[in-house]
Amino acid sequence: MTRISPDELARAKSILDTITASYGHTVVGQDGLRSSLMIALMTGGHILLESVPGLAKTTAAKALADAVSASFKRIQCTPDLLPSDIIGSQVFDYATSSFSTQLGPVHANFVLLDEINRSSAKTQSAMLEAMQERQTTIGGEVFPLPHPFLVLATQNPIEQEGTYHLPEAQLDRFLLKEVLDYPEFAEEIEILARLEAGVYDDDESTDVHPATVTIDDVLFLQSVTKRVFLDDSITNYIVSAVYVTRHADQYIGAELAGSIEYGASPRASIAFSKAARALALLNGRDHVIPEDVKTLRHVVLRHRIILNFEAIADNIVPETIIDAVFDAVQAP
């Protein structure tokens, strides 16, 4: 693998700084969300966002798409949403006595699935092919999705009536899961100040802060991210941590280990490898360090470690187990 040259590293830093500045023009605070969105963009992965309503999930997704000059579609998930509402369908044209294909909103660079757990299992499954294979099938014909393609799905944890639990097979396809918290006092003051200044008005924001990065720049970022150096010792660190989640009783004690129904799959190791490379580049480095992996432990593993009923009843959260796992693994 060709190492990243100083010129490539400088160009990547310039692109990332530009996206960050454009994103920060709209979104206040939420540094974890910004980092996760950037990592997802750089790796071509998908991200699951969980929070109560009103914490700028949609605003953040739209701000990232605007910064990259990419197409953006928002899909409001409801129980009566059909797979064809997402991927598209064939429409009969009486004038020509033939069918024509109308592509659905999933055919965009950035797709926001708002409250994904409100859609039925059949509709959720319609996203699996799109997320994994980067294509859809309509009437037996395959339609490739644009590149880059990024799914940002949100779910509301406080209201479960009328929702459908996301199956583990679909959860595993999200590279990261970010949990958002309320803004700080000063940040909320800044949000209101920007609201008064018209930053969030469509006409104002479009004129004041236009898109500054192209699709080609994003493809360059993704190419460079794949070439960030990952030492064998870091790979062993990643695999060791994921391995412990499957054999926790040997490492973290019976009480916590007994809370785990299923450990993380090899997709967790792959996610760590991809995301750690992106985080290293985001921090201006051409190589991964152990701190990159440890920083990502919650967003990579919190949706991949399945807890049993007793753990949920005792209010044990995945983050507690993840911290214990990393405490048990020797960093290189």
Side-chain angles (χ1 to χ4, degrees):
M1 182 183 296
T2 306
R3 294 295 294 268
I4 301 172
S5 69
D7 288 343
E8 288 176 321
L9 194 62
R11 182 186 172 191
K13 183 180 185 304
S14 175
I15 295 171
L16 290 170
D17 288 347
T18 302
I19 297 175
T20 301
S22 178
Y23 175 87
H25 174 78
T26 303
V27 181
V28 178
Q30 301 290 5
D31 292 337
L33 173 60
R34 176 189 57 80
S35 178
S36 293
L37 287 174
M38 294 293 287
I39 290 171
L41 177 68
M42 296 163 70
T43 59
H46 309 298
I47 181 171
L48 180 63
L49 308 176
E50 181 177 292
S51 79
V52 298
L55 296 190
K57 298 185 294 296
T58 302
T59 301
K62 184 67 165 59
L64 184 64
D66 288 343
V68 178
S69 187
S71 57
F72 173 79
K73 296 292 184 182
R74 177 179 179 271
I75 303 171
Q76 181 62 53
C77 296
T78 58
D80 60 349
L81 190 72
L82 299 175
S84 58
D85 295 328
I86 293 177
I87 65 174
S89 60
Q90 288 188 315
V91 178
F92 185 74
D93 187 347
Y94 287 95
T96 61
S97 298
S98 62
F99 285 94
S100 62
T101 301
Q102 292 187 352
L103 299 180
V106 75
H107 291 266
N109 295 116
F110 292 85
V111 178
L112 176 66
L113 291 174
D114 215 353
E115 295 192 285
I116 186 174
N117 53 335
R118 288 202 177 279
S119 60
S120 67
K122 186 175 183 179
T123 301
Q124 290 173 10
S125 68
M127 288 300 301
L128 289 180
E129 181 186 16
M131 293 172 63
Q132 190 68 23
E133 307 298 333
R134 312 285 168 143
Q135 65 181 31
T136 61
T137 303
I138 305 172
E141 186 177 356
V142 174
F143 295 89
L145 294 168
H147 197 60
F149 173 67
L150 173 61
V151 172
L152 305 99
T154 73
Q155 62 179 10
N156 179 358
I158 63 173
E159 186 180 354
Q160 298 302 320
E161 185 177 353
T163 63
Y164 300 83
H165 178 70
L166 282 176
E168 284 72 19
Q170 185 160 355
L171 280 174
D172 212 16
R173 283 173 168 78
F174 287 100
L175 182 78
L176 309 174
K177 179 183 177 182
E178 183 67 49
V179 177
L180 281 65
D181 202 356
Y182 291 107
E184 299 293 335
F185 184 87
E187 292 173 345
E188 195 159 352
I189 293 291
E190 176 63 20
I191 291 171
L192 294 179
R194 294 190 184 188
L195 184 66
E196 290 294 327
V199 171
Y200 303 115
D201 296 340
D202 290 339
D203 55 343
E204 293 286 345
S205 59
T206 300
D207 294 336
V208 173
H209 211 76
T212 49
V213 172
T214 66
I215 293 295
D216 288 339
D217 289 329
V218 175
L219 298 179
F220 169 78
L221 270 183
Q222 293 182 350
S223 173
V224 172
T225 300
K226 294 176 182 177
R227 291 159 47 208
V228 172
F229 180 68
L230 185 69
D231 190 76
D232 289 343
S233 62
I234 304 293
T235 300
N236 290 335
Y237 182 44
I238 290 171
V239 175
S240 296
V242 176
Y243 177 87
V244 169
T245 68
R246 305 175 201 143
H247 304 85
D249 57 323
Q250 304 173 26
Y251 298 92
I252 66 173
E255 183 176 355
L256 281 179
S259 301
I260 302 175
E261 186 75 21
Y262 297 104
S265 77
R267 279 203 185 103
S269 299
I270 295 171
F272 268 123
S273 175
K274 291 181 177 180
R277 283 185 164 99
L279 184 58
L281 190 61
L282 198 57
N283 290 326
R285 286 183 275 103
D286 65 350
H287 61 280
V288 177
I289 60 176
E291 285 74 14
D292 294 328
V293 178
K294 192 169 185 179
T295 298
L296 294 163
R297 65 192 187 280
H298 291 160
V299 291
V300 170
L301 289 177
R302 62 165 48 111
H303 59 300
R304 291 185 164 96
I305 294 179
I306 310 302
L307 304 183
N308 56 31
F309 175 78
E310 290 78 9
I312 296 173
D314 291 339
N315 293 319
I316 296 176
V317 295
E319 289 80 1
T320 300
I321 294 174
I322 294 168
D323 288 340
V325 166
F326 272 79
D327 288 340
V329 177
Q330 180 68 42

